[in-house]
Amino acid sequence: MSFSRSKSASLIGALAISGLLLTGCAGGQSKADACKVLEKGLTNVQDDLSSSLSNASTDPEGASKSLQAVADTFSDNVSKVTNDEVTPAAEDANGALTALVDEFAKYASDPTGADVDALTAASTDVQTTFTELGKVCS
């Protein structure tokens, strides 16, 4: 079973949307600051991630490592958020991203035996949780 270009494009789109949603953070100063903390450093790893995911079918390990780097950066950022309004949504998004990393790592280690439905569900959950985080930050 291969990781199709449409699934790769969907995953890239979900993460790109996530970054765009976070750039719209506004509102009370502490809320805006919390949203800026979440955004920090993600731009630096997003180009590498996009490139790696577009080559996921030929280099799934590279894509998995890039996705892990994004998740690590985001998780570190979430740990620095103290705003009561932003924290729950950030933690939900972090959990979804962690689950996606886990599912993608399974795909990377065994592309033919991976549960593509679980990978797709994890990707959808990332989109949903980051959309909710974007609403909190707007």
Side-chain angles (χ1 to χ4, degrees), residues 2 12 14 27 31 40 53 59 67-68 83 91-92 94 99 112:
S2 68
I12 291 169
K31 183 172 146 180
K40 186 176 181 182
L53 287 177
D59 184 14
L67 188 56
Q68 182 67 60
N83 179 278
E91 288 176 348
D92 287 348
N94 190 45
T112 58

Side-chain angles (χ1 to χ4, degrees), residues 50-63:
S50 294
S51 175
S52 294
L53 287 177
S54 67
N55 297 319
S57 62
T58 57
D59 184 14
E61 287 292 330

Side-chain angles (χ1 to χ4, degrees), residues 37-87:
V37 165
L38 292 173
E39 192 180 325
K40 186 176 181 182
L42 291 177
T43 308
N44 299 341
V45 291
Q46 193 147 11
D47 288 340
D48 182 44
L49 176 65
S50 294
S51 175
S52 294
L53 287 177
S54 67
N55 297 319
S57 62
T58 57
D59 184 14
E61 287 292 330
S64 182
K65 287 177 184 175
S66 292
L67 188 56
Q68 182 67 60
V70 169
D72 289 346
T73 298
F74 189 73
S75 182
D76 185 53
N77 292 352
V78 169
S79 72
K80 297 173 185 170
V81 171
T82 59
N83 179 278
D84 290 341
E85 191 175 352
V86 176
T87 297

